[in-house]
C-alpha cells in the first residue's frame, strides 16, 4: 500500500503526447505524471521520457482505488482543485470580444500541458468562467519556473476567435502594470477578479 508523500521508483510504460507519462511503480496499477508535475514550473523540455526509461524519486501526489498520481516537483503536495466548466459555447467566447486588450484579468491555472497553460477566466468580473490558453511565449519573465495547477495569475486577452471557440491570453507587461496601478490607485477599476 502507498500513501501521499511516499517516494517511489518506476518505469515509463506509456507517453501521452502533451499530457504526461504513465509509470509502472510495481503496485499493480500504473501511476500518472501529468505534464505540469514533471518539474517545478512549466515542462519547458516537454515529455523528455521514452518508454522503458527508469524514473527515480517520484513522490505520490494523490491515491484513489483506481488511480495513482505522481510528481517530480519539490515542495508541497497540495494542488488546487480542477475547475469543472460547462461546454464552451459561442456566447461564452463572444463575451471576451468586448474585453479591452489593456484590461487585466485574474485567472486560475486549471491544467498544464507541454503546449501551454489552460487558465480559467471570466469577462468583466461577471459572466461565465471559461478556459483560455496561455502559450509559453506569452509568459512573463520567470513564470516558466513558477507555474503550478491552482495558481492565480494576472493575464490580458491577446486574441479571441469565436469561430474556433478559442481565447488566447498573455502575461506580458504584468510587472509594469502592477506598479502603475499601485502608483495611480486605479487597480480596482482595471482588474477583473473572481468573487
Amino acid at each position: 500500500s502507498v500513501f501521499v508523500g511516499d517516494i517511489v521508483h518506476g518505469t515509463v510504460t506509456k507517453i501521452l503526447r502533451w499530457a504526461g507519462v504513465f509509470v509502472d511503480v510495481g503496485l499493480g496499477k500504473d501511476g500518472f505524471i501529468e505534464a505540469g508535475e514533471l518539474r517545478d514550473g512549466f515542462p519547458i523540455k516537454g515529455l523528455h521520457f521514452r518508454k522503458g526509461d527508469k524514473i527515480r524519486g517520484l513522490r505520490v501526489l494523490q491515491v484513489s482505488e483506481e488511480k495513482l498520481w505522481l510528481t517530480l516537483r519539490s515542495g508541497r503536495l497540495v494542488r488546487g482543485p480542477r475547475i469543472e466548466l460547462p461546454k464552451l459555447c459561442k456566447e461564452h467566447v463572444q463575451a471576451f470580444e468586448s474585453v479591452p486588450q489593456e484590461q487585466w484579468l485574474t485567472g486560475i491555472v486549471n491544467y498544464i500541458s507541454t503546449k501551454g497553460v489552460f487558465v480559467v477566466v471570466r469577462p468583466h468580473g461577471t459572466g461565465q468562467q471559461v478556459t483560455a490558453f496561455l502559450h509559453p511565449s506569452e509568459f512573463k519573465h520567470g513564470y516558466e519556473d513558477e507555474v503550478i495547477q491552482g495558481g492565480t495569475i494576472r493575464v490580458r486577452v491577446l486574441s479571441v476567435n469565436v469561430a474556433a471557440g478559442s481565447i488566447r491570453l498573455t502575461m506580458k507587461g504584468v510587472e509594469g502594470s502592477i506598479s502603475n496601478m499601485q502608483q495611480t490607485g486605479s487597480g480596482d477599476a482595471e482588474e477583473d477578479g473572481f468573487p
Side-chain angles (χ1 to χ4, degrees):
S1 146
V2 67
F3 300 97
V4 171
D6 285 354
I7 306 290
V8 296
H9 312 289
T11 304
V12 174
T13 58
K14 184 176 181 181
I15 299 167
L16 297 182
R17 197 169 182 186
W18 296 293
V21 297
F22 285 95
V23 180
D24 178 359
V25 293
L27 298 172
K29 59 183 169 188
D30 284 354
F32 186 64
I33 312 170
E34 287 186 348
E37 298 295 333
L38 292 171
R39 68 177 286 272
D40 291 338
F42 185 76
I44 52 178
K45 294 182 181 177
L47 300 176
H48 57 278
F49 296 105
R50 295 177 187 233
K51 191 173 179 178
D53 282 355
K54 306 287 186 208
I55 304 177
R56 302 186 59 76
L58 291 161
R59 293 190 306 154
V60 176
L61 184 62
Q62 186 178 351
V63 180
S64 74
E65 286 185 31
E66 309 85 37
K67 297 181 181 178
L68 177 67
W69 288 268
L70 305 169
T71 185
L72 286 167
R73 283 180 173 266
S74 62
R76 296 176 34 158
L77 292 171
V78 176
R79 302 290 180 267
R82 286 258 161 74
I83 300 170
E84 298 294 328
L85 297 172
K87 184 177 178 184
L88 195 61
C89 69
K90 183 178 177 180
E91 292 78 22
H92 298 156
V93 177
Q94 281 177 324
F96 283 86
E97 287 183 312
S98 64
V99 175
Q101 284 195 330
E102 63 276 1
Q103 181 178 353
W104 292 99
L105 306 172
T106 299
I108 298 174
V109 174
N110 207 34
Y111 183 73
I112 302 166
S113 82
T114 58
K115 294 280 188 184
V117 177
F118 294 88
V119 180
V120 174
V121 291
R122 83 170 67 221
H124 309 295
T126 61
Q128 177 62 49
Q129 290 179 337
V130 301
T131 300
F133 184 71
L134 176 64
H135 189 271
S137 66
E138 296 299 330
F139 289 175
K140 69 178 183 176
H141 178 73
Y143 185 65
E144 64 276 1
D145 294 323
E146 301 170 9
V147 65
I148 190 166
Q149 180 192 327
T152 301
I153 61 173
R154 293 174 43 80
V155 292
R156 294 184 299 116
V157 174
L158 182 64
S159 66
V160 176
N161 184 331
V162 176
S166 70
I167 303 162
R168 294 183 58 103
L169 304 171
T170 185
M171 296 177 82
K172 292 197 173 169
V174 172
E175 297 85 358
S177 175
I178 290 172
S179 64
N180 287 343
M181 285 191 299
Q182 289 171 346
Q183 290 171 2
T184 64
S186 63
D188 293 337
E190 294 184 33
E191 183 177 349
D192 165 349
F194 290 87

